[in-house]
Amino acid sequence: KYTVKAVKGKKTSKKSKAAKVVRLTKPSIKSVYNTTTGAKIEWKKVKGAKKYYVYSGSKKIGTTTKLNFTYTKAAEGKVASYKVKAVNGKSTSVASAAKKGMFLAAPVVSYKDLGNKVGLEWNKVNGATIYQICKETLGEPSLKNVGKTTDTSFTADLGANPTIYAFAVYAISSTSEGVFASANGVAQFVYIPDGCYFTDGKGNLHVKITLKKGESYNEGAYIGVDPANYTVTVGEVLTVKDNKITAIGAGEGSIRVDLDATAQKEIYDNVCKVAGKTFGNDLSTGVVYVDVTVTE
C-alpha cells in the first residue's frame, strides 16, 4: 500500500488514500510451438500472479490461470510475436520479451503398401518450405530422421523384419525470422513381410527375422519374450534380455516362447489375422518360435 503527503516547510498535509499494488516481475516465455489445434505459448511462473494476459502483437488473445495458452485462431503460415503479462487484481506486470512463432498445421498423412517399402503422402501445409520425415519402430521409442523433401510424398524402405512402424511428418518453414515446425502428422501400421510368419503342422507359430551381427530386435507386444523361458538351439548366435533379441554371432538360432492363454489370443488376433493375411494352419498351441538368422 502506498500513501503520499504534501510538504512545504514545516507544514505537512494529511496522508492520501492508500493505493494498493502488487509488484509483479515480467514473465519469461519459455517456448512457442505448434500443436494440432494452434500455437502454444509457455512461460515461467511469476510470484504473486493470479492470472496472465496473453498477447499477439498488441492484441490481447487470452486470459488464463495456467502457465500456458494455446492460440487456436493463429493465422496459418504467418509469423506472429507473442507476449505475456502477469496479473493480480488491478496490478499488471510489464510485458514479457516477445517471442516469435508461426502456426503450421500438422500434415494429414496416409500410406500405401509397396511391398518392402511404404509410400507416404500428405496435404500441402500453408507456409511450409520443406517437410521432415521421421520413423519410429516397435522397441525403439524414439523418432529417427529418414529424409526431407519439398514434395508432399516420400518413399521409405521397411527392411525384412516384421514390426509396427510409425512415420511422422513435420511441416517446416525456414524464414529470415526463424525456423518453425508443425506438430507431426503420423501414419502408423503393422508391417508383415511375406513369409516371415507361418504356423507349422503342430500349430506352433514361427516368426522369422534376420539380423546383422550386433543388431537388436524387440518383438514387443507380438511375442513378449520371457528371458526365464527360452532355449537357443544353435550355439551363441543370439541372446535375450529384457524382451530384446541381440545378434552376437553369425548362424541360426531359435527361441521358444510359451504363452499363457491371454498372450496366445493376442498373438492370434493381432498377428495371424492382421491385414487380412493368413499364415498356414491356425495357431492352436501356446508355443511360439522366434527363428533368427544372423549375418556378418
Side-chain angles (χ1 to χ4, degrees), residues 146-287:
V146 295
K148 290 183 179 180
T149 181
T150 56
D151 296 329
T152 55
S153 63
F154 185 83
T155 300
D157 293 325
L158 297 179
N161 293 324
T163 190
I164 294 177
Y165 277 111
F167 282 89
V169 179
Y170 297 84
I172 297 174
S173 179
S174 181
T175 73
S176 60
E177 297 182 90
V179 178
F180 309 98
S182 71
N184 60 22
V186 177
Q188 181 171 308
F189 55 92
V190 176
Y191 172 56
I192 301 180
D194 290 338
C196 67
Y197 283 95
F198 68 94
T199 47
D200 61 27
K202 297 180 180 179
N204 301 320
L205 178 66
H206 288 252
V207 182
K208 297 170 64 177
I209 64 173
T210 301
L211 298 175
K212 291 183 179 179
K213 185 177 178 180
E215 280 187 327
S216 293
Y217 181 75
N218 187 350
E219 273 288 307
Y222 284 166
I223 301 301
V225 176
D226 182 355
N229 190 6
Y230 69 93
T231 58
V232 177
T233 58
V234 181
E236 293 186 347
V237 176
L238 50 94
T239 63
V240 178
K241 184 178 181 181
D242 298 329
N243 289 352
K244 182 179 289 186
I245 302 167
T246 301
I248 60 175
E252 294 181 349
S254 183
I255 300 170
R256 172 179 169 140
V257 183
D258 293 301
L259 306 175
D260 59 23
T262 300
Q264 182 177 349
K265 184 177 186 304
E266 181 179 350
I267 294 291
Y268 186 73
D269 291 346
N270 295 308
V271 177
C272 292
K273 292 185 176 180
V274 73
K277 298 200 176 194
T278 57
F279 305 97
N281 301 316
D282 287 346
L283 174 65
S284 59
T285 74
V287 178

Side-chain angles (χ1 to χ4, degrees), residues 55-66:
Y55 297 82
S56 176
S58 59
K59 179 185 177 183
K60 183 179 174 182
I61 58 173
T63 301
T64 181
T65 57
K66 299 179 180 179

